[in-house]
Amino acid sequence: MHVVVIGAGVVGVTTAYYLAQRGCRVTVIDRAHDVAEGASHGNAAQLSYTFTDAMARPEFVAKIPGLIAGLDVGSRVRMDPALVSWGLRFLGQCTRKKWTANTLAVLQMALRSANLIAELRAAVPIEFGHRTAGKLVLLADEAARDAVVSSVELKKTNGALLRIVSADEALDIEPSLSAFNDEFVAAVYSPTDAVADSHVFTRRLSDWLRASDGIEFLLGTEVRKIRQNDGRFAAVELDGDEMEADAAIVCCGAWSARLLRPLREAPPIYPVRGYSVTLPAGAAPPTVSVTALRHRIVFSRLGDRVRVAGFADFDGFSTRRDVARIARMVESARSVAPHAADYEAPDQRAWGGFRPMTPDSRPRVGKTGIDGLYINTGHGILGWTLACAAAHDVALCVTGHDTGET
Ligand SMILES: Cc1cc2nc3c(=O)[nH]c(=O)nc-3n(C[C@H](O)[C@H](O)[C@H](O)COP(=O)(O)OP(=O)(O)OC[C@H]3O[C@@H](n4cnc5c(N)ncnc54)[C@H](O)[C@@H]3O)c2cc1C
């Protein structure tokens, strides 16, 4: 069976891996000249298996006017028809019942991913700096602490290993927090969450797939259109060329809807922009991943470097304000953790990417209404974390072992 995977981000390349495991001949196509040039390039690098809370929740509704008015430094919102339509669907998910179902669905997928990535690491000889660093989410005050109690309990009773710790316990777990300026009364600690660079993973896995499984990568090649005949996938149209195959899987992250819209199969995905800066470690860098919730930023230790990532801007596919937004994020990071990184270093790597967000924070994985056409997209803030489980599921579905419900 010949399968075309469209998109060579962490999701597409992991999908190719599981398809090859199931005996498929695979061609991966990406318009970029290398793999992992989209959201998978410079994300926060966290395998956040237990931080799966859906963004749409009842408490979020009261924050929306402030977000639109620009009162939250970690977010910029520019209303346009696409955001209004997505936002209405998002509002429909802001009930306790839906939040619980969405959070648990993603948690189950994340926990399966943790097992699958362990299996993949044992089976494939690639090094990508995987480290079970643990994760601390700092809670600024009692209200912030109270707000997470039910979510922590829910996830604990459903298989996640995490707990609320006092500020003193958090300091024992991560002593460099004593050099943070941020006030916190407690933290959520998840010892099993890990850190690893998804760009390095995707590149090394793709190299290994080329060499050992004969998977073909067509890079620098845009898929212009997906052609179907009588409700069955026929071919992908490339620049002046086309490629027929038995099946195709759209793994185009935030851009997935563009390809699927003409087929009336577009999932509800909004591109939510976030940023990262990778800096040399400072005098007191954290070893554990740290989230400063109030400031919407995270700190991840990658070897001798620290990656600061965060912010969530709703401004379509615009990149116009990247320089100012990255400067603002670095300013926040420096004020929160002045000794975590060398903020003056000349060799800083700044980056911006689009999270493919769905209104319910659940990815869309499986069949479409067109036979032979599948999707694996919409992983939002957790695409690196969920990649293995989602890819495993869609590969089963393509090879006829699942119903393919998305
Ligand atoms: C600031 C930030 C921090 C994040 N932190 C984390 C984190 O710590 N942990 C985590 O789990 N997740 C995190 N994420 C989310 C994660 O990065 C994404 O969910 C994930 O990378 C999505 O992977 P993908 O392969 O679906 O999409 P992408 O990596 O965006 O890949 C999509 C690919 O499709 C290609 N493409 C699009 N259209 C076409 C076409 N027509 N023809 C050919 N190719 C096409 C693009 O070139 C691109 O390479 C973060 C995201 C951001 C922005």
Side-chain angles (χ1 to χ4, degrees):
M1 183 178 192
H2 179 209
V3 185
V4 169
V5 173
I6 312 168
V10 68
V11 170
V13 172
T14 314
T15 298
Y17 168 73
Y18 286 107
L19 286 168
Q21 296 276 297
R22 303 195 69 77
C24 297
R25 176 161 84 84
V26 186
T27 304
V28 183
I29 305 179
D30 201 295
R31 63 185 177 196
H33 289 276
D34 202 349
V35 303
E37 288 296 303
S40 309
H41 191 83
N43 62 32
Q46 300 193 358
L47 292 158
S48 300
Y49 301 121
T50 60
F51 194 67
T52 61
D53 301 48
M55 192 165 83
R57 57 185 193 277
E59 300 79 14
F60 198 93
V61 180
K63 295 185 182 164
I64 292 174
L67 286 175
I68 294 173
L71 301 180
D72 183 337
V73 84
S75 223
R76 266 193 68 252
V77 178
R78 185 182 56 82
M79 293 309 276
D80 65 7
L83 181 54
V84 171
S85 143
W86 184 91
L88 290 172
R89 298 173 86 144
F90 177 87
L91 278 175
Q93 296 295 321
C94 288
T95 65
R96 181 66 52 210
K97 198 171 160 194
K98 287 187 173 160
W99 175 83
T100 303
N102 292 334
T103 298
L104 287 183
V106 178
L107 177 66
Q108 296 314 333
M109 190 179 237
L111 295 177
R112 281 195 297 117
S113 238
N115 291 332
L116 285 163
I117 206 161
E119 283 175 25
L120 187 150
R121 288 176 60 219
V124 181
I126 55 169
E127 173 52 45
F128 52 97
H130 181 278
R131 186 168 63 86
T132 306
K135 175 169 165 129
L136 283 163
V137 179
L138 306 183
L139 304 169
D141 49 32
E142 289 303 331
R145 185 188 186 287
D146 293 347
V148 299
V149 171
S150 62
S151 149
V152 168
E153 283 311 311
L154 177 75
K155 290 186 283 182
K156 262 166 77 171
T157 51
N158 283 278
L161 205 60
L162 78 174
R163 62 182 196 273
I164 296 178
V165 297
S166 67
D168 284 345
E169 281 174 274
L171 279 162
D172 284 344
I173 293 163
E174 178 49 71
S176 79
L177 287 177
S178 62
F180 274 48
N181 280 333
D182 209 26
E183 293 286 316
F184 58 97
V185 299
V188 181
Y189 178 49
S190 37
T192 51
D193 283 5
V195 68
D197 188 326
S198 76
H199 177 214
V200 175
F201 169 82
T202 308
R203 214 182 45 222
R204 300 221 164 128
L205 182 60
S206 65
D207 287 346
W208 185 80
L209 286 171
R210 271 191 201 99
S212 60
D213 276 316
I215 289 182
E216 184 189 15
F217 282 78
L218 287 183
L219 300 177
T221 306
E222 177 152 11
V223 173
R224 300 277 177 191
K225 195 176 160 191
I226 296 170
R227 192 160 62 71
Q228 54 126 359
N229 276 337
D230 292 333
R232 159 120 215 119
F233 165 75
V236 288
E237 292 187 8
L238 314 171
D239 300 306
D241 199 0
E242 74 166 30
M243 180 181 286
E244 293 182 351
D246 299 302
I249 312 177
V250 176
C251 303
C252 293
W255 299 275
S256 300
R258 287 185 173 176
L259 265 183
L260 290 160
R261 199 165 290 122
L263 301 166
R264 297 181 190 280
E265 292 290 343
I269 291 176
Y270 193 85
V272 180
R273 192 138 181 94
Y275 313 92
S276 74
V277 178
T278 311
L279 304 148
T287 315
V288 174
S289 299
V290 176
T291 300
L293 208 49
R294 183 171 34 182
H295 305 275
R296 314 252 181 282
I297 45 176
V298 304
F299 298 84
S300 306
R301 179 79 172 270
L302 296 171
D304 58 359
R305 300 180 81 85
V306 170
R307 182 167 292 171
V308 178
F311 283 15
D313 289 351
F314 295 75
D315 190 5
F317 282 101
S318 171
T319 57
R320 263 183 319 133
R321 292 177 195 262
D322 278 13
V323 172
R325 294 298 283 157
I326 289 168
R328 188 70 193 79
M329 186 186 74
V330 172
E331 197 183 311
S332 287
R334 189 200 294 260
S335 70
V336 170
H339 307 293
D342 178 359
Y343 297 98
E344 299 301 328
D347 57 335
Q348 312 199 355
R349 283 202 309 273
W351 172 85
F354 293 108
R355 303 175 184 91
M357 278 309 289
T358 57
D360 54 13
S361 297
R362 295 196 202 196
R364 302 294 189 263
V365 183
K367 294 179 178 175
T368 66
I370 294 167
D371 279 352
L373 180 64
Y374 301 83
I375 55 176
N376 185 8
T377 185
H379 303 75
I381 64 168
L382 287 177
W384 174 208
T385 306
L386 302 176
C388 281
H392 184 263
D393 289 354
V394 82
L396 281 183
C397 183
V398 171
T399 51
H401 291 83
D402 203 328
T403 57
E405 292 303 320
T406 59

